[in-house]
Amino acid sequence: MRCYIYRVNVNFSKNKNKETHMKQLKSLLPAALFTLCAGLPSVSSAADLTISCGAVGAELQLCKEAVEAWSKQTGNHVEVVSTPNSATERLSFYQQILSAQSTDIDIIQIDMVWPGMLAKHLMDLREGLPADATQGYFQAQIDNATVNGRLVTMPWFTDSGLLYYRKNLLEKYNKPVPQTWEEMTATARDVQQAERSAGHPNLWGYIFQGRAYEGLTCNALEWISSQAQGGLVNPQGDIVVNSPASRAALTLAKSWVGDISPRGVLNYTEEEGRGVFQSGNALFMRNWPYVWALVQSQDSAVKDQVGVAALPRGGETGNHASTLGGWGLAVSRYSAHPELAAELVSYLTSAQQQKHRALIGAYNPVIESLYQDPELLAAMPYYAQLHSILNDGVMRPAAITADRYPRVSNAFFDRVHGVLAGELSVDQALAELESELTRIKRRNW
Ligand code: GLC
């Protein structure tokens, strides 16, 4: 007998916190299992699917619109559920869903650091997609999405950390775009002070993602990697974080909190920071490309006042370093309709959709030829720069640490957060981190 798990409408709104999500999830699973054990006949047509999309920036809206268009074309019904904004919370949500082998979600949005750890729960998309489905994609993206020869996620968009700055304020104070983190700190302090005295009491110098979650791993990896000889775990798997480079980077970052960055930054993810910047209350911000579309939107208080640059170097001998991010779409192995789900993935990740998402939401394509698309080049003035920024891209050590990556990242962002919050000295944090990573690694990753 083919058992069917009755689809429960799980609508996670983006503002709900982790506990709420987990409560919803816990209430969902027993209900689903009950139906399975009762062995009820299917009450839903075979054409019902559920997709879980991110909700950062315009993501959810774009996902819903595209899904609706596909539904109209094909006559299938698709439920769109959103997930928490924090990548760390999203991962634990998916891990619970997948380890329970729940059929409630067919398609999930996968962070580029997850394929290795979630592969066993995901369908090999080569089985459901045409042979040329990955043609024209950046090879590095396809390699990252392939685990033991199985294409477990279809790359959707790519991310890299960027420095957003207020052009008008730099011009007003005759300051250049900062080239080093030290210069950024000094400019932020000067402009913040001058603007506050000039009647703008809420102006902050620098906004970043400081909550204890994956986003802080991305930020702190940039600070450390931008210093000469800086790193966390090198490509050979050596733990290299307890170094003078990290000491310099974290000492400077700690000095920002309560000075050029509000203490609230310790709880900021991407969207909280964007809110501060977009309402005109920050000079500099580190964030991902999607922010461009929103700060340039009609209702943005800083429309036409924003520039984008590479993140600063760590001192004169350092380099620009930008953490690479990005997301793909995967089909759960527990989906009751894997072929249909793969078709929807193929539609959503098509060149036409990637172009649309880039134009409307500044989600960067993973199909190489789109970077020569005249319409996209005209709409995205920073695309030329993006190429060199992507070249300075730093990968998180997810491939080498495989399914231990979340523990590595957690250990890193927890210690960094402790430093920023003033709970740990830099030396103590680095020593603790080194021994924790050594414990996690054991003899080998
Ligand atoms: C962005 C990146 C993703 C990263 C996350 C951290 O969404 O694309 O790779 O893990 O930010 O907050």
Side-chain angles (χ1 to χ4, degrees):
M1 181 185 67
R2 184 156 175 262
C3 288
Y4 176 77
I5 294 185
Y6 190 76
R7 197 165 305 285
V8 184
N9 185 1
V10 212
N11 211 346
F12 294 113
S13 91
K14 65 177 177 183
N15 293 325
K16 290 201 177 125
N17 60 25
K18 184 177 178 182
E19 286 71 40
T20 322
H21 287 294
M22 289 309 152
K23 262 190 223 145
Q24 284 181 310
L25 182 65
K26 279 183 192 144
S27 65
L28 160 76
L29 292 177
L33 288 174
F34 170 75
T35 315
L36 174 70
C37 297
L40 291 177
S42 170
V43 290
S44 168
S45 86
D48 269 6
L49 289 179
T50 297
I51 179 171
S52 155
C53 292
V56 175
E59 271 188 312
L60 189 60
Q61 190 53 29
L62 285 167
C63 180
K64 280 184 176 159
E65 285 166 9
V67 160
E68 216 167 281
W70 183 81
S71 295
K72 267 204 193 123
Q73 259 179 39
T74 62
N76 297 301
H77 175 257
V78 187
E79 189 101 42
V80 177
V81 298
S82 72
T83 45
N85 277 351
S86 150
T88 303
E89 289 175 20
R90 260 194 227 185
L91 176 59
S92 51
F93 167 56
Y94 284 152
Q95 279 173 323
Q96 299 218 20
I97 287 267
L98 292 171
S99 54
Q101 306 199 352
S102 163
T103 57
D104 282 301
I105 294 189
D106 302 284
I107 301 172
I108 59 184
Q109 194 176 316
I110 297 276
D111 196 335
M112 69 165 300
V113 286
W114 300 346
M117 96 189 73
L118 296 184
K120 62 175 183 288
H121 299 292
L122 306 174
M123 172 189 177
D124 180 0
L125 290 168
R126 294 205 191 276
E127 286 167 11
L129 295 179
D132 63 352
T134 56
Q135 213 178 344
Y137 277 67
F138 287 110
Q139 192 53 44
Q141 292 283 339
I142 297 303
D143 292 347
N144 190 64
T146 305
V147 181
N148 298 330
R150 300 170 67 241
L151 181 69
V152 295
T153 167
M154 201 56 192
W156 204 12
F157 64 95
T158 181
D159 263 343
S160 54
L162 300 173
L163 182 73
Y164 288 84
Y165 60 90
R166 291 281 302 284
K167 282 190 299 198
N168 57 328
L169 289 178
L170 290 185
E171 271 160 28
K172 179 171 169 190
Y173 294 100
N174 206 13
K175 303 271 190 197
V177 175
Q179 292 305 308
T180 63
W181 286 110
E182 292 74 7
E183 191 187 347
M184 187 287 287
T185 308
T187 303
R189 203 171 279 144
D190 288 355
V191 173
Q192 178 180 302
Q193 207 172 23
E195 277 295 285
R196 287 186 178 188
S197 323
H200 191 169
N202 299 328
L203 197 275
W204 289 99
Y206 184 54
I207 298 293
F208 60 95
Q209 292 80 52
R211 183 187 291 192
Y213 82 120
E214 186 65 26
L216 180 54
T217 287
C218 297
N219 281 246
L221 187 63
E222 285 159 352
W223 307 334
I224 288 175
S225 309
S226 69
Q227 299 278 337
Q229 273 111 45
L232 173 60
V233 173
N234 71 16
Q236 291 72 48
D238 308 318
I239 297 157
V240 294
V241 73
N242 196 356
S243 67
S246 300
R247 219 156 285 133
L250 293 187
T251 304
L252 185 63
K254 178 182 164 33
S255 79
W256 298 333
V257 180
D259 180 14
I260 58 171
S261 311
R263 271 198 75 78
V265 84
L266 295 173
N267 206 23
Y268 281 5
T269 68
E270 287 79 3
E271 285 293 84
E272 289 84 9
R274 177 175 70 83
V276 174
F277 188 84
Q278 195 167 321
S279 53
N281 290 325
L283 172 66
F284 296 122
M285 173 179 62
R286 184 269 180 212
N287 217 319
W288 304 102
Y290 81 92
V291 162
W292 175 256
L294 298 158
V295 294
Q296 283 299 96
S297 63
Q298 283 311 326
D299 58 357
S300 162
V302 292
K303 184 170 167 26
D304 298 326
Q305 299 175 5
V306 178
V308 178
L311 289 164
R313 289 183 281 121
E316 292 308 327
T317 54
N319 36 273
H320 297 289
S322 168
T323 300
L324 294 178
W327 295 80
L329 288 176
V331 175
S332 159
R333 273 184 57 190
Y334 317 112
S335 163
H337 312 291
E339 286 82 20
L340 194 65
E343 267 176 46
L344 176 53
V345 166
S346 164
Y347 175 86
L348 293 173
T349 55
S350 66
Q352 178 222 3
Q353 277 296 322
Q354 288 195 29
K355 178 172 171 179
H356 176 70
R357 290 170 54 88
L359 280 172
I360 307 292
Y363 295 101
N364 290 302
V366 283
I367 295 176
E368 213 163 348
S369 59
L370 288 173
Y371 286 82
Q372 268 89 55
D373 184 282
E375 215 181 326
L376 271 178
L377 288 172
M380 306 288 176
Y382 66 85
Y383 256 41
Q385 269 166 296
L386 198 64
H387 196 249
S388 71
I389 293 175
L390 285 172
N391 277 340
D392 297 326
V394 179
M395 294 286 277
R396 284 164 277 173
I400 187 91
T401 60
D403 55 1
R404 273 173 266 180
Y405 175 71
R407 289 169 64 199
V408 169
S409 180
N410 268 61
F412 184 46
F413 67 61
D414 273 345
R415 293 310 186 297
V416 172
H417 194 267
V419 168
L420 298 179
E423 291 155 4
L424 277 180
S425 74
V426 172
D427 284 342
Q428 194 187 349
L430 290 175
E432 282 182 19
L433 180 59
E434 185 176 36
S435 56
E436 187 168 353
L437 293 182
T438 309
R439 248 195 333 271
I440 298 172
K441 178 179 178 184
R442 283 183 251 122
R443 226 175 265 160
N444 233 316
W445 292 111

